[in-house]
Amino acid sequence: MKVEVPATILSRVIKPARYTGQELNAVRKEFAAMDVTVALALPDVYEVGMSNLGLKILYQVINAQEAMLAERVYAPWVDMEREMRAAQLPLYSLESQVPIHAFDVVGFSLQYELSYSNVLNMLDLAGITLLAAERGEAEPLVIGGGPCAFNAEPMADFFDCLIIGEGEEVVLELAALVGRWKKEGRPGGRKELLLQLATLEGVYVPSLYAVSYEADGRVKAITPLSDASKPVVKKRLLADLDAAPVAMTPVVPYIDVVHDRIMLELFRGCTRGCRFCQAGVIYRPVREKRMETLLNQAKQMADATGYNEISLTSLSSADYSCLHPLVSQLQEGLKEQGVSVSLPSLRIDSFSVELANQVQEVRKSSLTFAPEAGTQRMRDVINKGVTEEDLMNAVKAAFAAGWSTVKLYFMIGLPTETDEDVLGIADLAYKVLNAYKEVKGRRGAKVTVSVSSFVPKPHTPFQWVDQHGMAELARKQQLLRDRLYRERSITFNWHDAKTSFMEGVFARGDRRLGKVLYLAWQKGAKFDGWSEYFRYDIWLAALAEAGLTPEFYASRVREMDEVLPWQHLSCGADAAFLKKEYQKAVAAEFTPDCRRGECSACGVCPDLKVKVVDWEDNA
């Protein structure tokens, strides 16, 4: 059953270590002796897949079960795919090098919309039927999860089921159910299995729902087709993150990957309430781990991996209530092993030079801040909760402490945005540059301004708004270029408007986009998240062939009472809360963080019977 990859093939591709496995901490079990086998897939290249914390956790959760096995598979880069197709080699797992089509379950983590074409490409390379409705009885169950599962409709044709929310518990329930079904002789075939899976909390089976459309293309109704299919599928989550399983012995790659370090998860959720942020809604509420738990986990992970760096990972790590004592004790406890501590980002309002100095004792590399918008009005619209004074205080303190390089992240195309708001980005960059001269008495700072294009996402207060068209985005990018190009100390980076536009199409898309995906894949779409492989013309041709327009999905304002394609998939946040937040955005009104302030009545805690977990009093 093992796929033998000739050395001659590996010698012809770049980074052959992407395809050989055998890394430290990789789990090896006897494939044929398992009750259930799961291939965990990320539809991107090895370096990206190996950096996904969710898959690391699920890998250990499943392999901790004696009769279950999980192995890894990632998208082969274009050179390896070409070699595999020429040699008729199927896609295989890294641990046992078993063909993916031999697994019971193939689970994809859907992190971003532009990876969808790679899902189809990987299924095809594995020899698995692409359309779920045509999949044979002996073929694997194809499941999905991750943030994009909260609007899985564009992928509905290709997945047997999707997990909505956190997967640590439900993936074991799903695997156990598949194991029992196999042991009993597969009664009722795949159809019966899907009906049973639909009864699990947090599991969505798209084929058990019918979607009808109005004459103008809007969704008319989403109708359950079976008693097993719930009218609304609610997300799963772990109420007690402190007791949650952890990737204590993560696989250590032989080659550099995106996050080549220990990832220590401090908490889940974020209740800051940034109105553009999907993660801030779908991962609610905040649930912190105890500091003692984190210290113990960090020690064990350092011992198990040999890494010399720990990254404190969460949506907004600087908000961890015990951050200062945690960093101090981690550094003290891991000093002998030479392990340093890093923070992926800092909020402007929680920034402290002492903390930054703590995590970068010697090296004064650049600091990164995300004001997101250039004017206070715009920051109030998106509920960022920071002021220009916050930013200036932070950068001045940093410059005084020895930093001279600052990266600033912004978005353009936000709701209610004016040209004045856009030019405010340039003004802010110049003010940061001048702050250095004010502090140091001379020039010498470097400021990088990175501007992305806003993409409205489901389950956010901006899910009803229109996305800027490419011409308007290009005009606003040019406004900034004209204002910034004269200053050599400022570097201006911007995202390609076409990729953002296509991301917007699929982010709020419906099931009819499945045909577009299929057509685009047939025309050669793959690795769309990589600029060198994104082919906008292919997607336009596929949309036209399917009788659809991108503007219908990206550029159209939705009515507040419109049936949304993801309406039957719930993250716990009430539609009434999202509507109220949108109205407050238009009025530029601030909503405080409910974590330590007044409850904003989003509905998550009562609906999912959980509560915010914050250890501030222990700090």
Side-chain angles (χ1 to χ4, degrees), residues 259-309:
H259 296 295
D260 199 10
R261 58 188 73 91
I262 294 169
M263 300 168 74
L264 186 67
E265 186 180 30
L266 308 184
F267 61 92
R268 288 186 192 169
C270 175
T271 45
R272 290 279 185 172
C274 297
R275 293 178 176 124
F276 59 86
C277 181
Q278 185 190 48
V281 179
I282 64 175
Y283 293 122
R284 288 183 176 214
V286 167
R287 289 149 290 150
E288 289 191 343
K289 291 184 179 181
R290 290 178 182 273
M291 188 173 70
E292 295 74 18
T293 303
L294 292 167
L295 291 169
N296 179 47
Q297 291 174 353
K299 178 73 169 62
Q300 290 188 55
M301 285 191 273
D303 290 343
T305 62
Y307 273 122
N308 61 5
E309 182 180 351

Coordinates of all heavy atoms in Angstrom, one line a residue, residues 259-309:
H259 N 6.1 29.3 10.9 CA 6.2 29.5 12.4 C 7.1 28.3 12.9 O 6.6 27.3 13.3 CB 4.9 29.5 13.0 CG 4.0 30.7 12.6 ND1 4.3 32.0 12.9 CD2 2.9 30.7 11.9 CE1 3.4 32.8 12.4 NE2 2.5 32.0 11.8
D260 N 8.4 28.5 12.8 CA 9.3 27.5 13.2 C 9.8 27.7 14.7 O 10.9 28.0 15.0 CB 10.5 27.5 12.3 CG 11.3 26.2 12.3 OD1 10.8 25.2 12.9 OD2 12.4 26.1 11.7
R261 N 8.8 27.4 15.6 CA 9.1 27.7 17.0 C 7.9 27.0 17.8 O 6.9 26.6 17.2 CB 9.1 29.2 17.3 CG 7.9 29.9 16.9 CD 8.0 31.4 17.0 NE 8.9 31.9 15.9 CZ 8.4 32.3 14.7 NH1 7.1 32.3 14.5 NH2 9.2 32.8 13.8
I262 N 8.1 27.0 19.1 CA 7.0 26.5 19.9 C 5.8 27.5 19.9 O 6.1 28.7 20.0 CB 7.5 26.3 21.4 CG1 8.5 25.2 21.4 CG2 6.3 26.0 22.3 CD1 9.2 25.1 22.7
M263 N 4.6 27.1 19.7 CA 3.4 27.9 19.7 C 2.7 27.7 21.0 O 2.1 26.6 21.2 CB 2.6 27.7 18.5 CG 3.3 28.0 17.2 SD 2.5 27.4 15.7 CE 1.2 28.7 15.6
L264 N 2.7 28.6 22.0 CA 2.1 28.4 23.3 C 0.8 29.3 23.2 O 0.8 30.5 23.2 CB 3.0 28.9 24.4 CG 2.5 28.7 25.8 CD1 2.4 27.2 26.1 CD2 3.4 29.4 26.8
E265 N -0.3 28.6 23.2 CA -1.6 29.3 23.1 C -2.1 29.8 24.5 O -2.3 29.0 25.4 CB -2.7 28.3 22.6 CG -4.0 29.0 22.3 CD -5.0 28.0 21.7 OE1 -5.0 26.8 22.0 OE2 -5.9 28.4 21.0
L266 N -2.2 31.1 24.7 CA -2.5 31.7 26.0 C -4.0 31.6 26.2 O -4.4 31.4 27.4 CB -2.1 33.1 26.0 CG -0.6 33.4 25.6 CD1 -0.3 34.9 25.8 CD2 0.3 32.5 26.5
F267 N -4.8 31.9 25.2 CA -6.3 31.9 25.4 C -6.9 31.9 24.0 O -6.3 32.0 23.0 CB -6.7 33.2 26.2 CG -6.4 34.5 25.5 CD1 -7.3 35.1 24.7 CD2 -5.2 35.1 25.7 CE1 -7.0 36.3 24.1 CE2 -4.9 36.3 25.1 CZ -5.8 37.0 24.3
R268 N -8.2 31.7 24.0 CA -9.0 31.8 22.8 C -10.0 32.9 22.9 O -10.5 33.1 24.0 CB -9.7 30.4 22.4 CG -8.7 29.4 22.0 CD -9.4 28.1 21.5 NE -8.3 27.1 21.4 CZ -8.6 25.8 21.2 NH1 -9.8 25.4 21.1 NH2 -7.6 24.9 21.1
G269 N -10.4 33.4 21.8 CA -11.4 34.4 21.8 C -10.8 35.8 21.9 O -9.7 36.0 22.3
C270 N -11.6 36.8 21.6 CA -11.3 38.2 21.7 C -12.6 39.0 21.7 O -13.4 38.8 20.9 CB -10.4 38.7 20.5 SG -10.0 40.4 20.6
T271 N -12.7 39.8 22.8 CA -13.9 40.6 22.9 C -13.7 42.1 22.7 O -14.5 42.9 23.2 CB -14.6 40.3 24.2 OG1 -13.6 40.3 25.3 CG2 -15.3 38.9 24.2
R272 N -12.6 42.4 22.1 CA -12.3 43.9 21.8 C -13.4 44.4 20.9 O -13.8 45.6 21.0 CB -11.0 44.0 21.1 CG -9.8 43.7 22.0 CD -9.5 45.0 22.9 NE -8.3 44.8 23.7 CZ -7.8 45.7 24.4 NH1 -8.3 46.9 24.4 NH2 -6.7 45.5 25.1
G273 N -14.0 43.6 20.0 CA -15.1 44.0 19.2 C -14.8 44.8 18.0 O -15.7 45.6 17.5
C274 N -13.6 44.6 17.4 CA -13.3 45.3 16.1 C -14.4 44.8 15.1 O -14.5 43.6 14.9 CB -11.9 44.9 15.6 SG -10.7 45.5 16.7
R275 N -15.1 45.7 14.4 CA -16.2 45.3 13.7 C -15.9 44.7 12.3 O -16.8 44.1 11.7 CB -17.1 46.6 13.5 CG -17.7 47.1 14.8 CD -18.5 48.3 14.7 NE -19.1 48.7 16.0 CZ -19.0 49.8 16.6 NH1 -18.3 50.8 16.0 NH2 -19.5 50.0 17.7
F276 N -14.7 44.7 11.9 CA -14.3 44.1 10.6 C -13.9 42.7 10.8 O -13.7 41.9 9.9 CB -13.2 44.9 9.9 CG -12.0 45.0 10.8 CD1 -11.0 43.9 10.8 CD2 -11.8 46.0 11.7 CE1 -9.9 44.0 11.6 CE2 -10.6 46.1 12.5 CZ -9.7 45.1 12.4
C277 N -13.6 42.3 12.1 CA -12.8 41.1 12.4 C -13.8 39.9 12.6 O -14.5 39.8 13.6 CB -12.0 41.3 13.7 SG -11.0 39.9 14.1
Q278 N -13.7 38.9 11.7 CA -14.5 37.7 11.8 C -14.0 36.8 13.0 O -14.8 36.3 13.8 CB -14.4 36.9 10.5 CG -15.3 35.7 10.6 CD -15.1 34.7 9.4 OE1 -14.0 34.4 9.1 NE2 -16.2 34.4 8.7
A279 N -12.7 36.7 13.2 CA -12.2 35.9 14.3 C -12.6 36.4 15.6 O -12.9 35.6 16.6 CB -10.6 35.9 14.2
G280 N -12.8 37.7 15.7 CA -13.2 38.3 17.0 C -14.6 37.9 17.4 O -15.0 38.1 18.5
V281 N -15.4 37.5 16.4 CA -16.8 37.1 16.7 C -16.9 35.6 16.8 O -17.4 35.0 17.7 CB -17.7 37.6 15.6 CG1 -19.2 37.1 15.8 CG2 -17.7 39.1 15.4
I282 N -16.3 34.8 15.8 CA -16.6 33.4 15.8 C -15.8 32.6 16.9 O -16.2 31.5 17.2 CB -16.2 32.8 14.4 CG1 -14.7 32.9 14.1 CG2 -17.1 33.4 13.3 CD1 -14.3 32.2 12.8
Y283 N -14.8 33.2 17.5 CA -14.1 32.5 18.6 C -14.5 33.0 19.9 O -13.8 32.6 20.9 CB -12.6 32.7 18.4 CG -12.0 32.0 17.1 CD1 -11.3 32.7 16.1 CD2 -12.3 30.6 16.9 CE1 -10.9 32.1 15.0 CE2 -11.8 30.0 15.8 CZ -11.1 30.7 14.8 OH -10.6 30.1 13.7
R284 N -15.5 33.8 20.1 CA -15.9 34.2 21.4 C -16.4 33.1 22.2 O -16.9 32.1 21.7 CB -17.1 35.2 21.3 CG -16.7 36.6 20.8 CD -17.8 37.6 20.7 NE -17.3 38.9 20.3 CZ -17.8 40.0 20.7 NH1 -18.8 40.0 21.6 NH2 -17.3 41.2 20.3
P285 N -16.4 33.1 23.6 CA -15.9 34.2 24.4 C -14.4 34.0 24.7 O -13.8 33.0 24.4 CB -16.7 34.1 25.7 CG -16.9 32.6 25.8 CD -17.1 32.1 24.4
V286 N -13.8 35.0 25.4 CA -12.4 34.8 25.8 C -12.4 33.8 26.9 O -13.1 33.7 27.9 CB -11.9 36.2 26.4 CG1 -10.6 35.9 27.2 CG2 -11.7 37.2 25.3
R287 N -11.4 32.8 26.7 CA -11.2 31.8 27.7 C -9.7 31.7 27.9 O -9.0 31.2 27.0 CB -11.8 30.5 27.3 CG -13.3 30.4 27.3 CD -13.8 29.5 26.2 NE -13.6 30.1 24.9 CZ -13.4 29.3 23.8 NH1 -13.4 28.0 23.8 NH2 -13.2 30.0 22.6
E288 N -9.2 32.1 29.0 CA -7.8 32.1 29.3 C -7.3 30.8 30.0 O -8.1 30.2 30.7 CB -7.4 33.3 30.2 CG -7.4 34.6 29.6 CD -6.8 35.7 30.5 OE1 -6.6 35.5 31.7 OE2 -6.5 36.8 29.9
K289 N -6.1 30.5 29.8 CA -5.5 29.4 30.5 C -4.8 30.0 31.8 O -4.4 31.1 31.8 CB -4.4 28.7 29.7 CG -5.0 27.9 28.5 CD -3.8 27.1 27.8 CE -4.4 26.3 26.7 NZ -3.3 25.6 26.0
R290 N -4.7 29.2 32.8 CA -4.0 29.6 34.0 C -2.5 29.7 33.7 O -1.9 28.9 32.9 CB -4.2 28.6 35.1 CG -5.6 28.6 35.7 CD -5.7 27.6 36.8 NE -7.0 27.5 37.3 CZ -7.5 28.2 38.3 NH1 -6.7 29.1 38.9 NH2 -8.7 28.1 38.8
M291 N -1.8 30.7 34.4 CA -0.4 30.9 34.1 C 0.4 29.6 34.5 O 1.3 29.2 33.8 CB 0.1 32.1 34.9 CG 1.5 32.4 34.6 SD 2.1 33.9 35.4 CE 2.1 33.4 37.1
E292 N 0.0 29.0 35.6 CA 0.7 27.7 36.0 C 0.6 26.7 34.9 O 1.6 25.9 34.7 CB 0.1 27.2 37.3 CG 0.3 28.1 38.5 CD -0.6 29.4 38.5 OE1 -1.6 29.3 37.7 OE2 -0.3 30.3 39.2
T293 N -0.5 26.6 34.3 CA -0.7 25.6 33.2 C 0.2 25.9 32.1 O 0.9 25.0 31.5 CB -2.2 25.6 32.7 OG1 -3.0 25.3 33.8 CG2 -2.4 24.6 31.6
L294 N 0.3 27.2 31.7 CA 1.2 27.6 30.6 C 2.6 27.3 30.9 O 3.4 26.9 30.0 CB 0.9 29.0 30.3 CG -0.5 29.3 29.7 CD1 -0.8 30.8 29.7 CD2 -0.6 28.8 28.3
L295 N 3.1 27.6 32.1 CA 4.5 27.4 32.5 C 4.8 25.9 32.3 O 5.9 25.6 31.8 CB 4.7 27.9 33.9 CG 4.7 29.4 34.1 CD1 4.7 29.8 35.5 CD2 5.8 30.1 33.3
N296 N 3.9 25.1 32.8 CA 4.2 23.7 32.7 C 4.2 23.2 31.3 O 5.1 22.4 30.9 CB 3.1 22.9 33.5 CG 3.2 21.4 33.5 OD1 4.3 20.9 33.7 ND2 2.1 20.7 33.2
Q297 N 3.3 23.7 30.5 CA 3.2 23.2 29.1 C 4.4 23.7 28.3 O 5.0 23.0 27.5 CB 1.9 23.8 28.4 CG 0.7 23.1 28.9 CD -0.6 23.7 28.4 OE1 -0.6 24.8 27.7 NE2 -1.7 23.1 28.7
A298 N 4.9 25.0 28.6 CA 6.1 25.5 27.9 C 7.3 24.7 28.2 O 8.1 24.3 27.3 CB 6.3 26.9 28.3
K299 N 7.5 24.3 29.4 CA 8.6 23.5 29.8 C 8.6 22.1 29.1 O 9.6 21.7 28.5 CB 8.6 23.2 31.3 CG 9.7 22.4 31.9 CD 11.0 23.1 31.8 CE 12.1 22.4 32.6 NZ 12.5 21.1 32.1
Q300 N 7.4 21.5 29.1 CA 7.4 20.2 28.4 C 7.6 20.3 26.9 O 8.2 19.4 26.3 CB 6.0 19.6 28.7 CG 5.8 19.1 30.1 CD 4.5 18.3 30.3 OE1 4.2 17.4 29.6 NE2 3.6 18.8 31.2
M301 N 7.1 21.3 26.3 CA 7.2 21.5 24.8 C 8.7 21.8 24.5 O 9.2 21.3 23.5 CB 6.3 22.6 24.3 CG 4.8 22.1 24.2 SD 3.8 23.3 23.3 CE 3.3 24.4 24.6
A302 N 9.3 22.6 25.3 CA 10.8 22.9 25.1 C 11.6 21.6 25.2 O 12.5 21.3 24.4 CB 11.2 23.9 26.1
D303 N 11.3 20.8 26.2 CA 12.0 19.5 26.4 C 11.8 18.6 25.2 O 12.7 17.8 24.8 CB 11.6 18.8 27.7 CG 12.0 19.6 28.9 OD1 13.0 20.4 28.8 OD2 11.5 19.3 30.0
A304 N 10.6 18.6 24.6 CA 10.2 17.6 23.6 C 10.7 18.1 22.2 O 10.7 17.2 21.3 CB 8.7 17.5 23.6
T305 N 11.0 19.3 22.0 CA 11.3 19.8 20.6 C 12.7 20.3 20.4 O 13.2 20.2 19.3 CB 10.3 20.9 20.3 OG1 10.6 22.0 21.2 CG2 8.9 20.5 20.3
G306 N 13.3 20.8 21.4 CA 14.7 21.4 21.3 C 14.6 22.8 20.6 O 15.6 23.4 20.3
Y307 N 13.4 23.4 20.5 CA 13.3 24.7 19.9 C 13.9 25.7 20.9 O 13.9 25.5 22.1 CB 11.8 25.1 19.7 CG 11.2 24.7 18.4 CD1 10.1 23.9 18.3 CD2 11.8 25.2 17.2 CE1 9.6 23.5 17.1 CE2 11.2 24.8 16.0 CZ 10.1 24.0 16.0 OH 9.6 23.6 14.7
N308 N 14.4 26.8 20.4 CA 15.0 27.9 21.2 C 14.2 29.1 21.3 O 14.6 30.2 21.7 CB 16.4 28.2 20.7 CG 16.4 28.8 19.3 OD1 15.4 29.0 18.7 ND2 17.6 29.0 18.8
E309 N 12.9 29.0 20.8 CA 12.0 30.2 20.9 C 10.6 29.7 21.2 O 10.1 28.7 20.6 CB 12.0 31.0 19.6 CG 11.2 32.2 19.6 CD 11.2 33.0 18.3 OE1 12.1 32.6 17.4 OE2 10.4 33.9 18.1

